[in-house]
Amino acid sequence: MHEFDSVAPSAPHATDPRLLANLNPEQLAAVTLPPGHALILAGAGSGKTRVLTTRIAWLIQTGQLSPGGVMAVTFTNKAAKEMIARLGTMLPVNPRGMWIGTFHGLCNRFLRAHWKLAALPQSFQILDTQDSLSAVKRVVKGMQLDEERFVPKQISWFIAASKDEGRRPRDVAVHDEQSRVMQQVYQAYEDQCQREGVVDFAELMLRTYELLRDNDPLREHYRRRFRHILVDEFQDTNRLQYLWLKMFATPPDRAASSSSPGDSDANSVFAVGDDDQSIYAFRGAQVGNMADFEREFKVREVIKLERNYRSFGNILDAANHLISHNEHRLGKNLRTEAGPGEPVRVNEAPSDFAEAQWLLDEARFLHREGSPRSEIAVLYRSNAQSRVIESALFNAGIPYRVYGGLRFFERAEIKHALAYLRLTENPNDDTSYLRVVNFPARGIGARTLEQLQDAARASGRSLHQSVGALGGKAGANLGAFNAMIESMREATHGLTLREIIEHVIATSGLADFYKAEREGAERLENLDELVNAAEAFVTQEGFGKDAVALPVDETAGPGTIADGLPQAVAAVDFTPDAETGEIMSPLAAFLTHAALEAGDNQAQAGQDAVQLMTVHAAKGLEFDNVFITGLEEGLFPNERALADADGLEEERRLMYVAITRARKRLCLSFSQTRMLHGQTRYNVKSRFLEELPEAALKWLTPKNQGFGSGFAREYQQAWQRGSGLGSMVGAGRVESPPAWATPKTRELTVESPAASGALTLRVGKSVFHTKFGEGVVVTLEGSGADARAQINFGRHGMKWLALAIAKLTPID
DNA sequence: GGGAATCGCGTTTTT
DNA sequence: CGCGATTCCC
């Protein structure tokens, strides 16, 4: 089926000496590894991206690889873009033509090229998580299941998780009624997606994997084409991504059987990852893939990049010391030549409010000292923690930026516009149909849609096709909607993408609707922004001008292929059909782009602002000054994560990621009390604080260390201000009961079995229990013999104790 | 069909 | 407590 140009690698050219300059010995070894599968353990701040890009540039410069023979995979669009941008400065070729992208982006390209083999429509559309959930809801409703028992969200999660493990409905384990129904829903969901010509994120991966698995010539073709496969953040790969990778890689036994590696037709996988930064197990990532890779791919070279170019010594000591408490590691220790730097400072606050206040003063101080606000990052374990910090910053008028939340293409008004656009492309997309059939309102109610869905189910056709089944006013309204979609389709024929979108926003009634809305101005702006995004997309991708294969001289070489698939296309989102070269419409391509790249999720960019984000969101970023807040048992480590065995280790890795974000200054803080879910919680400080080396720390609270001069004075003032704010915070020390707490009893005196004599307990007081260790009294109830106390023992959890029996001693 | 009241829930998130 | 989703009522 395929013919290949088996061009042996030419003798290395003289490389640009600047390319390899300033690499340390380990980096150099990684960059210049001979062909063969390799695993690079790249510690935080060790120059990972540099090694990846330099490796590609070096292979190309030395003539071992043509741009068309590269496949580089990342997890995020941001990482892919960065790689492309850096390569652009290193190479005289256009890196946009290389197969560099996210797992999902590359799958999309692959399926666009082989849509027929994959049994998809050429302009199949991609469901994001929201779309997918509403599709599942539709299925569940259609099957008339009890939504209490079969929660759509859970089923949606189950389907995604199954696909992420490579399981089709027939492969899922069925052991009871519940799982049997789940399987049926999964099957029905698949049928529905197939009927509507849509795929969800996991389907992109799974479909690609299966196509390669079941089609030998195709698989062999791609194995020959991609000489070098590079994978970033390998520790975050899930089961399916690992299997997927195996499809592209030459099996190691075949690679080994070749006498000389240089002439072998085997390709090479260059996997880069850091097991200590694996923080996505909750969404299916399997760190075990690293060990599996080493074993199954018979990796000969494991290179560790341990020299850190980011942080000062004390920060690295803290990170190393902390992570050494994990048992399941491949083993790695960061080192620096930058000197110890400032100690890691630790602050204890009486309340979350005071913690925020302290943070605020600290940020002000740093800014006064010349640090840009954008170099100050405030990290927290969960999004709910940002609220107090935000309000403190807001009230003080300090600009800040919160990462997270809705992204551009996920906004309701944008999704609505996209739904109309999708319908002009494919009126049988029921998800989009239901989203906008009555938005803006046009007299199509819930019962009408029930009937329409029943009719569609009965005939096995789409909603759009089933409108004729309904008569009366309802049928007329539906007919009018169909006619509108149809006229949109006709009117936009031949228009530019920009004109199409403008037309649809106007004629759908969306523009008028938001004009009439009191709060619609921002949404209108966003719709304008959608037009701009489309314009930028077209310009950037170069569609319409020269969306054709790049000049041959840029792409020819080993790996040239002969099945009509262009080596490289200027417009990567317009991947042509592998056989016919047909390219999908700009609109379909833009819709794909919108699904695959949800856009920024940071609020108002522009001015210099303090950066607020979760630890997860901070991965891959770095800042001069980092604050890690809320270091309390239950919060960080999070109590819900402690349920499973590996939970604590993942939490610790999360802390490790947080620590290693800091370049110059690291501050840790925790609070004795915190408002959570509408009630005050009394917390014990995080065990992670105990796992840090004392020598690298400087405690700012009197208990552990006195105040000195300079910085410390600042802290003292900040702390006092923070703790002196309003009656809410009271006297500020844990010894006095917080005035704002309203438990049943605030103070209780009982005969203590431990200390012969009276024991006085107060809410907020620390106590020691012979079995559970240190805890904080949360609630007191009853009296005398049946006096009870609820005590938070941190890692041992919240306990109710009978005070007549429990052996408690007070801690001061 | 849409606004108001009520319910329920509350790690982490990219594609 | 604060939110989103659902339900209720006009």
Side-chain angles (χ1 to χ4, degrees):
Chain A
M1 178 174 167
H2 303 291
E3 295 290 323
F4 302 102
D5 294 338
S6 323
V7 180
S10 45
H13 305 150
T15 53
D16 184 340
R18 283 170 303 179
L19 188 66
L20 304 180
N22 301 322
L23 293 176
N24 69 35
E26 295 79 29
Q27 291 175 328
L28 183 66
V31 165
T32 60
L33 274 175
H37 303 315
L39 178 62
I40 313 299
L41 285 182
S46 65
K48 175 197 71 169
T49 309
R50 184 165 180 220
V51 165
L52 267 169
T53 48
T54 312
R55 167 87 176 159
I56 296 173
W58 179 79
L59 286 167
I60 292 174
Q61 271 200 11
T62 54
Q64 299 179 62
L65 177 65
S66 73
V70 178
M71 178 161 84
V73 205
T74 64
F75 274 87
T76 65
N77 289 299
K78 198 176 156 203
K81 277 185 192 157
E82 187 183 343
M83 207 183 279
I84 290 168
R86 285 214 209 177
L87 275 172
T89 68
M90 298 168 119
L91 289 170
V93 295
N94 182 0
R96 297 194 61 99
M98 301 183 209
W99 276 56
I100 298 176
T102 62
F103 277 100
H104 299 269
L106 295 182
C107 286
N108 175 55
R109 267 207 230 185
F110 180 87
L111 293 174
R112 296 290 170 194
H114 301 289
W115 57 276
K116 257 184 217 157
L117 289 173
L120 289 168
Q122 186 179 15
S123 60
F124 67 84
Q125 285 302 314
I126 299 165
L127 302 183
D128 65 16
T129 315
Q130 286 176 39
D131 299 330
S132 177
L133 175 62
S134 63
V136 170
K137 276 186 186 162
R138 235 164 353 105
V139 172
V140 170
K141 284 213 172 80
M143 292 172 72
Q144 303 186 334
L145 296 171
D146 174 9
E147 290 188 36
E148 303 270 285
R149 241 186 103 191
F150 301 99
V151 186
K153 235 191 201 135
Q154 284 173 9
I155 300 179
S156 184
W157 178 87
F158 163 80
I159 292 173
S162 301
K163 289 187 181 186
D164 282 346
E165 302 210 310
R167 284 190 237 280
R168 287 295 179 189
R170 64 172 174 281
D171 306 317
V172 305
V174 172
H175 35 262
D176 54 10
E177 171 71 5
Q178 184 82 13
S179 52
R180 196 180 56 78
V181 176
M182 297 276 263
Q183 183 193 37
Q184 286 170 350
V185 179
Y186 182 7
Q187 184 64 58
Y189 168 81
E190 273 205 340
D191 296 344
Q192 179 179 283
C193 288
Q194 188 63 27
R195 208 164 46 237
E196 296 174 13
V198 294
V199 296
D200 60 32
F201 288 131
E203 186 70 27
L204 287 168
M205 294 282 328
L206 185 52
R207 196 71 73 110
T208 303
Y209 161 71
E210 289 173 341
L211 187 48
L212 287 169
R213 183 194 60 193
D214 302 336
N215 188 326
D216 297 352
L218 194 68
R219 186 177 63 248
E220 289 310 313
H221 166 78
Y222 278 98
R223 282 183 178 173
R224 282 171 185 270
R225 171 176 174 172
F226 294 123
R227 312 304 307 151
H228 286 270
I229 299 165
L230 301 95
V231 190
D232 192 16
E233 305 279 15
F234 192 78
Q235 77 283 353
D236 288 336
T237 51
N238 63 34
R239 192 71 212 149
L240 179 57
Q241 283 157 341
Y242 184 76
L243 295 172
W244 181 95
L245 197 62
K246 274 173 126 176
M247 287 300 124
F248 282 102
T250 324
D253 49 328
R254 259 169 59 189
S257 68
S258 172
S259 50
S260 126
D263 291 336
S264 156
D265 65 356
N267 59 21
S268 305
V269 176
F270 187 85
V272 181
D274 180 358
D275 56 319
D276 290 333
Q277 291 190 71
S278 162
I279 56 173
Y280 285 111
F282 72 91
R283 66 173 197 216
Q286 309 211 353
V287 213
N289 284 346
M290 295 187 85
D292 288 353
F293 176 75
E294 194 180 341
R295 191 182 66 252
E296 295 184 353
F297 284 66
K298 303 199 164 58
V299 170
R300 272 177 243 161
E301 302 276 356
V302 177
I303 294 179
K304 292 182 185 178
L305 304 181
E306 298 178 296
R307 168 142 182 219
N308 175 290
Y309 293 90
R310 180 183 295 160
S311 317
F312 282 107
N314 281 325
I315 296 170
L316 290 190
D317 285 349
N320 284 329
H321 210 276
L322 175 97
I323 202 66
S324 70
H325 289 81
N326 270 4
E327 281 179 26
H328 305 293
R329 298 180 66 208
L330 297 176
K332 205 168 30 48
N333 225 19
L334 296 175
R335 57 173 204 281
T336 181
E337 287 167 22
E342 293 176 24
V344 174
R345 292 179 297 244
V346 188
N347 180 258
E348 176 175 5
S351 69
D352 51 351
F353 189 75
E355 182 188 40
Q357 205 61 33
W358 167 76
L359 205 63
L360 168 76
D361 290 317
E362 184 64 17
R364 275 197 181 124
F365 176 79
L366 290 169
H367 187 56
R368 261 205 316 280
E369 294 288 296
S371 194
R373 279 189 281 259
S374 59
E375 284 300 335
I376 302 171
V378 180
L379 310 185
Y380 34 81
R381 174 66 238 266
S382 72
N383 286 302
Q385 289 167 250
S386 76
R387 190 174 294 279
V388 219
I389 299 165
E390 280 185 70
S391 72
L393 291 168
F394 182 84
N395 291 332
I398 296 177
Y400 63 93
R401 182 186 302 175
V402 188
Y403 286 72
L406 267 200
R407 309 166 90 234
F408 181 72
F409 286 110
E410 290 167 355
R411 291 165 191 274
E413 63 277 20
I414 300 300
K415 296 277 289 181
H416 283 134
L418 293 175
Y420 279 106
L421 292 166
R422 282 184 179 202
L423 287 174
T424 65
E425 190 67 29
N426 170 18
N428 301 324
D429 176 346
D430 286 354
T431 301
S432 298
Y433 195 96
L434 285 173
R435 181 173 194 108
V436 292
V437 67
N438 197 38
F439 191 94
R442 42 179 78 89
I444 298 166
R447 65 224 158 265
T448 305
L449 290 175
E450 292 281 310
Q451 289 173 297
L452 181 63
Q453 282 176 276
D454 287 344
R457 247 191 310 278
S459 61
R461 293 191 298 171
S462 72
L463 299 173
H464 179 265
Q465 290 163 333
S466 307
V467 162
L470 273 73
K473 194 168 164 240
N477 286 343
L478 283 169
F481 178 72
N482 273 9
M484 182 178 94
I485 296 299
E486 189 52 38
S487 76
M488 269 181 191
R489 197 226 290 264
E490 280 166 20
T492 55
H493 195 266
L495 298 187
T496 65
L497 182 56
R498 178 199 189 96
E499 290 163 342
I500 293 172
I501 297 178
E502 282 172 342
H503 181 267
V504 165
I505 290 173
T507 56
S508 63
L510 283 177
D512 290 337
F513 179 87
Y514 289 123
K515 265 178 212 150
E517 279 265 281
R518 305 156 302 293
E519 317 243 316
E522 194 187 332
R523 297 187 184 271
L524 273 175
E525 275 174 37
N526 284 332
L527 288 173
D528 280 343
E529 199 47 50
L530 179 66
V531 176
N532 292 336
E535 191 73 12
F537 172 74
V538 168
T539 314
Q540 199 185 327
E541 297 291 340
F543 187 85
K545 291 183 207 128
D546 47 8
V548 292
L550 288 172
V552 170
D553 59 351
E554 285 190 9
T555 59
T560 297
I561 51 170
D563 66 345
L565 183 67
Q567 274 278 332
V569 174
V572 294
D573 279 315
F574 295 92
T575 308
D577 180 302
E579 282 170 44
T580 65
E582 193 188 343
I583 299 172
M584 65 176 153
S585 73
L587 175 57
F590 179 65
L591 291 171
T592 295
H593 168 80
L596 246 27
E597 196 167 342
D600 274 349
N601 67 351
Q602 54 182 27
Q604 65 289 335
Q607 64 175 333
D608 185 32
V610 174
Q611 314 281 303
L612 271 61
M613 67 193 85
T614 63
V615 181
H616 282 93
K619 192 179 168 207
L621 306 177
E622 54 181 271
F623 306 90
D624 284 343
N625 314 285
V626 169
F627 293 82
I628 307 173
T629 65
L631 283 166
E632 296 137 39
E633 281 295 311
L635 251 195
F636 198 3
N638 191 280
E639 60 201 349
R640 302 182 65 135
L642 300 181
D644 58 65
D646 302 326
L648 177 60
E649 295 219 344
E650 176 140 326
E651 292 292 301
R652 196 176 276 118
R653 291 192 292 268
L654 200 47
M655 180 67 183
Y656 176 80
V657 167
I659 292 172
T660 53
R661 299 308 96 197
R663 291 196 198 101
K664 297 180 186 161
R665 259 176 235 105
L666 177 65
C667 302
L668 313 177
S669 71
F670 64 100
S671 167
Q672 293 158 4
T673 66
R674 182 174 298 275
M675 257 319 231
L676 202 66
H677 307 324
Q679 54 184 359
T680 308
R681 284 176 44 136
Y682 298 81
N683 291 320
V684 174
K685 67 171 178 277
S686 171
R687 73 190 76 184
F688 294 154
L689 288 165
E690 320 283 355
E691 295 174 356
L692 301 176
E694 272 303 319
L697 304 185
K698 175 165 189 150
W699 285 75
L700 304 169
T701 33
K703 197 177 187 176
N704 297 278
Q705 205 141 67
F707 288 120
S709 55
F711 258 88
R713 212 176 356 255
E714 284 286 328
Y715 280 109
Q716 187 176 28
Q717 288 161 6
W719 190 83
Q720 283 171 346
R721 247 170 296 160
S723 60
L725 270 165
S727 59
M728 244 190 82
V729 185
R733 295 306 302 153
V734 74
E735 285 78 18
S736 58
W740 66 97
T742 53
K744 298 181 179 170
T745 315
R746 296 228 312 272
E747 187 170 315
L748 253 181
T749 302
V750 292
E751 284 302 310
S752 165
S756 50
L759 169 69
T760 302
L761 291 180
R762 270 171 269 148
V763 167
K765 190 177 176 64
S766 295
V767 292
F768 184 81
H769 185 273
T770 45
K771 186 154 171 226
F772 304 130
E774 196 176 331
V776 178
V777 178
V778 175
T779 315
L780 290 169
E781 271 183 11
S783 60
D786 62 23
R788 289 165 295 154
Q790 191 183 29
I791 299 176
N792 184 352
F793 287 105
R795 79 192 69 179
H796 292 288
M798 194 76 84
K799 310 274 182 200
W800 275 103
L801 300 178
L803 294 178
I805 301 164
K807 291 188 172 64
L808 291 173
T809 44
I811 300 175
D812 293 312

